[in-house]
Amino acid sequence: MINWFHLAPAQRPLSHVFMSALAALALCCLLSLLFGAGGLSVQASLQTLLGNGSADAQFTVFHLRATRTLVGLFVGLTLGIAGALMQSVARNPLAEPGLLGVSAGSSFAVAMALVLGASTATLTVGIAQFGALLGCLCVLGVARMQGQHNDPIRLVLAGAALSSLLLAMTSLILLFDQRAADEIRFWVTGSVAGRDSNVLYSVLPSMLIAILCILYTAKPLASLALGERVAIGLGHKPRKIRAVVILAVALLVGGATAIAGPVAFIGLVVPFAARALVGADIRRTLWLCLPLGPIIVITADIVSRLVAQPAEMPLGVLTAIVGAPVLLLIVRSRRMPTL
């Protein structure tokens, strides 16, 4: 048994926990290359990784499964980080892009673009990110993040209402546009299957901006967790911090949604697990979200390939199966965790 596991979360060495999580992520990536639907066995996949596979096996492992693993890694990383940022800036453990209308706003923007003539192959990431930004601003604006309005339940109710409204409007739009409905049918369930590696290049510029935003706000966010007056006393500007964080969340969630569709609960489960391992300090939480998000998404994707062979279960369905009990656990806890 690892000694640090017996320490309190805030006292555990971050480097030890982070390296352990990295090792688990490497194992998940290997399993993702070995397992999958289709006729390629685990033994044949392993031989292919060792350089002894046929041309078809090499295509399956090094192109199809490797690309899928990379996309899963990106989606898990972005949604996990976005969830931690959103929970920190809202000081609400229930804040999650899928619950608060951010993903729904992104989906609605994509549906509108499809109706106006775009196709899933030509969609720009900026459309999904713009929708995510609007969804984020609407929910936080309605629920208010400050003073007596900083109520976890109020925020979730506002997010659920906005998500339901946007999803209903998206369905209504698609009902009257068969071409858009055909284009988006598979995308709306959330999946990392069949994505081309080129889609990752399209989000790199916005991800660089998001990284800069995170680097800029990590320390101020830790101060903001001590209270707005403390943050102001330390020379930070809470309103500016929140604006930059919301921009980063929109870029991260919009990029992930444009690539894989709406994948719910990752932004809730990953920060929840990270805080349980290393405590509530946002700087430690963000570091651990880097490997934990991909671990959960890639593991869910592996399971989605195996449970319904020869077909596949949508990734979004599996993440909901995992995430919903976590949400219920948080809500039913006697003392709501504070951030």
Side-chain angles (χ1 to χ4, degrees):
M1 182 64 69
I2 303 173
N3 291 331
W4 57 257
F5 194 75
H6 298 288
L7 298 173
Q11 296 175 339
R12 291 171 182 161
L14 177 61
S15 58
H16 292 192
V17 183
F18 182 74
M19 293 307 295
S20 300
L22 272 186
L25 176 58
L27 177 62
C28 287
C29 291
L30 176 62
L31 295 176
S32 179
L33 296 176
L34 293 179
F35 290 92
L40 196 63
S41 66
V42 176
Q43 291 79 7
S45 301
L46 185 59
Q47 289 178 351
T48 303
L49 286 176
L50 296 175
N52 300 319
S54 63
D56 289 342
Q58 289 182 8
F59 178 79
T60 300
V61 173
F62 294 121
H63 182 72
L64 297 180
R65 292 182 185 174
T67 302
R68 187 169 179 160
T69 304
L70 283 176
V71 172
L73 196 150
F74 171 80
V75 171
L77 189 151
T78 52
L79 292 181
I81 292 290
L85 288 174
M86 202 159 189
Q87 291 177 11
S88 180
V89 77
R91 303 188 67 183
N92 187 330
L94 300 180
E96 197 267 339
L99 286 176
L100 299 191
V102 185
S103 298
S106 186
S107 301
F108 179 73
V110 170
M112 284 295 296
L114 290 174
V115 170
L116 294 175
S119 69
T120 51
T122 61
L123 274 176
T124 62
V125 177
I127 294 173
Q129 291 171 330
F130 179 71
L133 180 61
L134 287 184
C136 193
L137 290 175
C138 285
V139 172
L140 296 180
V142 169
R144 303 271 187 90
M145 292 188 298
Q146 302 176 354
Q148 61 181 351
H149 301 290
N150 187 23
D151 182 347
I153 304 303
R154 183 193 297 271
L155 187 63
V156 172
L157 288 176
L162 180 67
S163 293
S164 299
L165 176 63
L166 290 175
L167 290 175
M169 292 173 66
T170 302
S171 301
L172 193 62
I173 290 171
L174 298 179
L175 188 65
F176 290 101
D177 192 315
Q178 189 58 43
R179 185 194 68 83
D182 293 338
E183 288 269 0
I184 208 171
R185 182 175 293 120
F186 185 67
W187 180 84
V188 293
T189 59
S191 175
V192 296
R195 274 33 176 190
D196 193 274
S197 58
N198 290 329
V199 298
L200 294 175
Y201 300 135
S202 64
V203 299
L204 283 182
S206 58
M207 291 305 105
L208 289 176
I209 298 174
I211 290 171
L212 292 176
C213 291
I214 294 169
L215 293 175
Y216 175 74
T217 56
K219 186 176 179 180
L221 269 178
S223 301
L224 197 59
L226 302 174
E228 193 161 321
R229 291 184 178 178
V230 174
I232 293 173
L234 292 173
H236 302 302
K237 299 178 180 178
R239 185 169 295 183
K240 185 178 180 181
I241 296 168
R242 292 189 180 103
V244 176
V245 170
I246 289 171
L247 174 62
V249 169
L251 293 174
L252 293 170
V253 176
T257 307
I259 290 176
V263 181
F265 289 113
I266 297 298
L268 173 74
V269 174
V270 172
F272 182 75
R275 284 194 297 274
L277 288 170
V278 295
D281 189 321
I282 184 63
R283 292 164 294 188
R284 290 163 60 87
T285 302
L286 286 175
W287 271 110
L288 198 55
C289 285
L290 293 174
L292 285 185
I295 287 174
I296 293 176
V297 170
I298 292 175
T299 302
D301 183 48
I302 294 171
V303 175
S304 74
R305 305 177 207 173
L306 301 178
V307 295
Q309 291 191 29
E312 292 190 15
M313 182 180 289
L315 175 64
V317 174
L318 271 173
T319 58
I321 292 174
V322 174
V326 175
L327 177 63
L328 292 175
L329 179 66
I330 298 173
V331 173
R332 283 181 56 85
S333 62
R334 289 186 177 182
R335 182 175 178 272
M336 186 79 72
T338 56
L339 298 176

